[in-house]
Amino acid sequence: MPIRVTVWNEFLHEQNDEKVRAVYPLGIHQAIAEFLGRDAELAVRTATLGQPDNGLPQAVLDQTDVLLWWGHMGHQLVDDMVVERVYQAVLDGMGLIVLHSGHASKIFEKICGMPSHLLSWQERGEGERVFVINPAHPIAAGLPQYFEIPKTEVYSEYFSIPAPDSLIFLSWYPSGEVFRSGFTYERGRGKIFYFSPGHETYPIYKQPEVQTVLRNAVRWTARTPNAPRIVYRANTPVLRPHADMGENR
Ligand code: ZN
């Protein structure tokens, strides 16, 4: 069975900004879907903000093992009902990969439980060195110790997030800033990965190392097969002592 992937994009910059359209003529979602779709183990579809139900009706989430999320200027346009639906899907086991400025999306803030939109940023077109600081993590598989993105938007600390369950990437910039650029959370049955590189005016999603990160992340965040169902009970049955236990005291 392939992993069912939905790439969601607000798809606003590409329609409003010539500079962005030059990099991603069909939209960031199509660029990501294109390289993920080359992987025979993935079944990839796309969804965008402007579609009915913001592209994410329950029927789509029910058939999604991993949802990728790229948003920036349209965070407030995402319907609260849709955010709640995505949140519940994550708690029930759907993987979520939050990209770049998605750190300020309603869904990521809900996952974080605090205002995760707070960080410093600068667009100077400088480079980024992305260090793998947890080489044992499956999302780092196949990567070198670090890789470089020639032109990026600088995101820098302090980044107002709860301590990650696993911190995988740390970025450094020539101007001296650092940033926790890739990390995970687990919530309920669901796994979440955040990855910061991906500014819309640079071809970052066309870079092989970035594609490796996202391919790995899709596999890692995908539903855990046979994950225990979460059941809330008033009374958990009492553990019955083994018959022999009395004699051994
Ligand atoms: Zn950006």
Side-chain angles (χ1 to χ4, degrees):
M1 282 283 282
I3 299 172
R4 301 165 300 175
V5 180
T6 301
V7 183
W8 187 91
N9 178 17
E10 63 176 28
F11 195 33
L12 297 176
H13 287 292
E14 299 93 326
Q15 301 186 73
N16 303 334
D17 187 340
E18 195 63 50
K19 236 174 107 185
V20 179
R21 197 160 44 236
V23 183
Y24 296 111
L26 301 176
I28 287 172
H29 54 302
Q30 293 295 353
I32 293 174
E34 194 271 319
F35 73 77
L36 289 179
R38 277 187 255 134
D39 188 327
E41 291 175 30
L42 310 182
V44 185
R45 70 160 94 188
T46 63
T48 57
L49 177 69
Q51 294 171 331
D53 268 336
N54 300 153
L56 298 173
Q58 190 64 49
V60 168
L61 295 180
D62 287 346
Q63 294 174 41
T64 298
D65 298 315
V66 178
L67 175 66
L68 288 90
W69 190 281
W70 199 103
H72 183 214
M73 57 199 287
H75 292 323
Q76 293 313 312
L77 301 175
V78 180
D79 195 286
D80 288 341
M81 290 258 293
V82 172
V83 176
E84 183 61 30
R85 190 183 294 155
V86 171
Y87 184 64
Q88 291 303 326
V90 171
L91 296 182
D92 197 36
M94 183 185 74
L96 178 67
I97 298 174
V98 177
L99 299 168
H100 189 54
S101 38
H103 69 87
S105 62
K106 289 180 183 177
I107 182 60
F108 192 59
E109 297 228 315
K110 199 169 170 73
I111 297 280
C112 287
M114 60 188 289
S116 58
H117 61 277
L118 300 171
L119 50 74
S120 300
W121 76 97
Q122 294 181 56
E123 215 188 315
R124 291 182 295 230
E126 66 184 283
E128 173 173 358
R129 185 173 288 174
V130 183
F131 284 89
V132 174
I133 59 168
N134 183 355
H137 200 285
I139 294 179
L143 291 171
Q145 187 174 353
Y146 67 80
F147 62 92
E148 289 173 353
I149 295 168
K151 280 190 171 187
T152 197
E153 178 184 25
V154 174
Y155 273 10
S156 63
E157 299 285 340
Y158 176 67
F159 184 15
S160 65
I161 49 167
D165 292 332
S166 194
L167 188 52
I168 306 167
F169 300 107
L170 181 70
S171 285
W172 172 90
Y173 309 88
S175 47
E177 284 94 346
V178 292
F179 191 69
R180 288 169 287 176
S181 47
F183 50 83
T184 67
Y185 296 115
E186 287 161 48
R187 295 286 186 271
R189 304 165 99 201
K191 288 174 273 185
I192 300 114
F193 175 62
Y194 172 78
F195 191 61
S196 65
H199 186 64
E200 65 275 7
T201 57
Y202 306 119
I204 293 173
Y205 295 117
K206 298 180 181 177
Q207 193 169 328
E209 296 93 335
V210 170
Q211 297 182 353
T212 297
V213 169
L214 296 186
R215 263 194 304 268
N216 290 344
V218 164
R219 282 183 168 72
W220 185 80
T221 56
R223 286 175 199 281
T224 302
N226 302 316
R229 241 168 54 76
I230 302 168
V231 181
Y232 297 99
R233 296 177 278 256
N235 291 297
T236 302
V238 174
L239 183 67
R240 293 192 183 283
H242 192 274
D244 292 342
M245 273 179 76
E247 293 170 18
N248 293 340
R249 273 206 199 111

